[in-house]
DNA sequence: AGACTGCAGTCAATCGATTTACCACGCCGT
DNA sequence: ACGGCGTGGTAAATCGATTGACTGCAGTCT
């Protein structure tokens, strides 16, 4: 059966197509109440929904938005970010174009051109890792950066508040009584936005607590379980009075590596050492034994924020249009007080 | 700057818009070679790209496809499936609409209506878990089912070949010399398509190898590490002559639970017991210690297949248009020969 | 009476392409 | 001289909506 067109509604209601359009778009200032109802009933009766293509041609607005992402494939975060974006789009009666560029700059350019051609109402430029990016050419004014921020500014952006996240992680450990707290960092992030901010949070809180960090407490490894394990082993090799009782890890996978290292030395978590991760990857943080206390990346909320700002239903902050999204702490079972022997033996500030 | 329209090209080339359209769409049987070149040059010079909205209105084809999925959020598989679909779409010059319905039937209906209104050229109906579904109403003829199959048939579908996957997993264990092989099943999958097929594969191979399965070897648990651990403990409690030396697990998370159970009894993998998982979840299979041998779900290939069939660049099989995508084995380090004492002590068929 | 003002709708142009039907021209054959 | 035919291209209709300009009519004011 052929699509129902506006002229079918017009015929059924005994009016012109103009009238139908005016009524259904609530621009009907000059149409009588009685006619309006007749039109609405006719539209419902014949099951009319406007053709978005035709409407788009005329109005230059398509009720679609494009989401360009460097890679949805290789990270398990993608889902929540897309889900947040997609939900916000749906709630605002928009459809979402998804393009995964595979981090290929040429594909990215091509995608943006295609989306602009399609007359999307806005573009979300999403990264799967928090970083600073050189914005691609041809981005329309209504563009929002998601989990990244444009080097040149000029567009709204939303990123996790890594600094605050780092602070809450370390505060949690300090509050539990730890004073020798390691920072199990990731190496070669490029650029190291997340790593540096979390590190600053770490330093802030130590300072606040009057703890002078031992440089040996800052170790690095690749961002996997293996990397975390290696880094943890170096820390556990430290002499007893310098060996950390708590580990703040760049991500959950590295934290899982810390678990492995600890187990190999017969150390029990959280009895002997406490661990805090970052990311809240369900598959890792929720499944290790004991479940990992960690800082969640607010991917869903960021996805939603980006779309809402892009569609204008939410305002970007002024004057810096970058929103820092809080990273909530997820309490599980990997943190407790340090062993009695170690408590209060941290190095105090002079 | 305003968009370049076809009339701008026509003006630049000194011809009519009809001619431009004919030339650029290669329908120019009646246009001289010379004119064609002039038109192409003019188009390139002014940087013309056709307006897909206008074209879509006229041709009723939009070069877009819709992907409706029950939930991209809660599973880390989504990425690869979307990536495959998205790549195939891009290669065929199509754009992909993504809709996540959150498994809400009403949202799903609404989404399909919206996509049909948008005149997408095809719809991919994707599930995040292999299952049989009641197809929603209003699906256009050019629809393809991804990781699910319609109860009523009638549409192309692509699903993992779970039966063959189950077989290769168990064959791997049999080939290593195991004869007491457990099936660590998931409980309450609804409907249990994947579980049953893998189980049949398990039974097939045991039969093939002349092994009579002990009913106690079939245990169930929720599909998480905790579930796998609980199930494994029941197996390890069996008397020594019935206790399995190998564990085929419904998924990698459950396999990780088997690791935990084994460790708690001082058993080493793969020296004391061998384990094979399913899914090849990077975050789990690649990160546990030792890395897990498992069967990969071919999500990327399935996503690609679905789009290619939807766009007609690939044919669906006949007469049953359901394609079984092979699940490749991923060899890691969790399988070896059984301990000498246990070898060859499985129960033989009468 | 004539001009003016609202009211209730409608006409027709428009968005930017595609495509069918037609036209102008030159040449050929009879 | 005239019909027929091939060539090369164009005019105009069309897709399905939106929207600014306009019309017809009744009542009001001067």
């Amino acid at each position: 059966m052929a699509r129902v067109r506006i002229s079918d509604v017009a015929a059924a209601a005994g009016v012109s197509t103009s009238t139908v359009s005016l009524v259904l778009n609530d621009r009907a200032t000059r149409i009588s109440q009685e006619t309006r109802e007749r039109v609405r009933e006719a539209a419902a009766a014949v099951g009319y929904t406007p053709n978005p293509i035709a409407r788009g041609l005329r109005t230059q607005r398509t009720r679609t938005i494009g989401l360009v992402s460097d890679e949805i494939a290789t990270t398990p975060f993608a889902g929540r970010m897309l889900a947040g974006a997609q939900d916000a789009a749906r709630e605002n009666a928009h459809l979402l174009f998804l393009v995964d560029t595979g981090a290929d700059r040429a594909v990215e350019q091509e995608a943006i051109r295609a989306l602009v051609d399609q007359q999307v109402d806005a573009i979300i430029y999403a990264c799967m890792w928090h970083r600073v990016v050189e914005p691609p050419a041809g981005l329309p004014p209504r563009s929002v950066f998601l989990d990244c921020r444009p080097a040149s500014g000029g567009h709204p952006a939303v990123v996790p508040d890594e600094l605050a996240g780092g602070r809450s992680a370390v505060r949690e450990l300090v509050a539990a009584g730890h004073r020798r707290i390691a920072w199990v960092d990731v190496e070669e992030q490029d650029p190291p936005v997340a790593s540096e901010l979390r590190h600053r949070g770490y330093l802030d809180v130590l300072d606040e607590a009057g703890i002078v960090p031992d440089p040996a407490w800052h170790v690095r490894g690749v961002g996997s379980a293996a990397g975390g394990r290696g880094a943890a082993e170096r820390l556990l090799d430290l002499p007893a009075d310098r060996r950390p009782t708590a580990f703040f890890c760049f991500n959950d996978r590295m934290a899982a590596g810390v678990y492995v290292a600890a187990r190999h030395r017969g150390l029990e978590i959280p009895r002997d050492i406490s661990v805090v991760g970052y990311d809240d990857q369900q598959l890792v943080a929720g499944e290790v034994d004991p479940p990992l206390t960690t800082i969640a990346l607010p991917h869903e909320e960021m996805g939603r924020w980006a779309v809402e700002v892009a569609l204008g239903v939410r305002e970007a902050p002024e004057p810096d249009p970058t929103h820092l999204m809080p990273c909530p702490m997820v309490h599980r079972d990997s943190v407790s007080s340090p062993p009695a022997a170690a408590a209060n033996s941290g190095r105090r500030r002079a």
Side-chain angles (χ1 to χ4, degrees), chain A residues 72-142:
Chain A
I72 54 178
T74 50
T75 137
F77 298 139
R80 301 226 69 87
M81 208 142 105
L82 293 182
Q86 151 63 35
D87 275 8
R90 185 169 47 70
E91 284 163 21
N92 292 284
H94 278 242
L95 246 24
L96 191 84
F97 279 116
L98 175 69
V99 181
D100 178 354
T101 64
D104 178 327
R105 206 70 184 178
V107 170
E108 179 176 291
Q109 275 303 331
E110 178 56 25
I112 288 172
R113 212 197 38 62
L115 289 170
V116 170
D117 273 359
Q118 279 285 346
Q119 294 177 200
V120 294
D121 294 346
I123 285 186
I124 310 293
Y125 185 85
C127 292
M128 287 302 147
W129 314 101
H130 179 182
R131 59 181 186 233
V132 173
V133 295
E134 208 52 54
L139 232 35
R142 314 211 64 167

Side-chain angles (χ1 to χ4, degrees), chain A residues 148-209:
Chain A
C148 53
R149 74 166 86 201
S152 44
H155 285 285
V158 54
V159 296
D161 190 347
E162 317 267 10
L163 180 61
R167 283 193 185 130
S168 18
V170 180
R171 259 195 211 113
E172 175 83 1
L173 292 168
V174 168
H178 293 274
R179 304 198 58 83
R180 298 202 304 268
I181 301 172
W183 165 228
V184 181
D185 199 359
V186 73
E187 65 193 12
E188 55 181 332
Q189 252 214 334
D190 178 41
V193 181
S195 157
E196 273 182 9
L197 288 168
R198 293 176 198 174
H199 186 207
R200 266 182 44 206
Y202 164 85
L203 294 177
D204 281 3
V205 173
L206 290 194
D207 187 62
E208 200 173 284

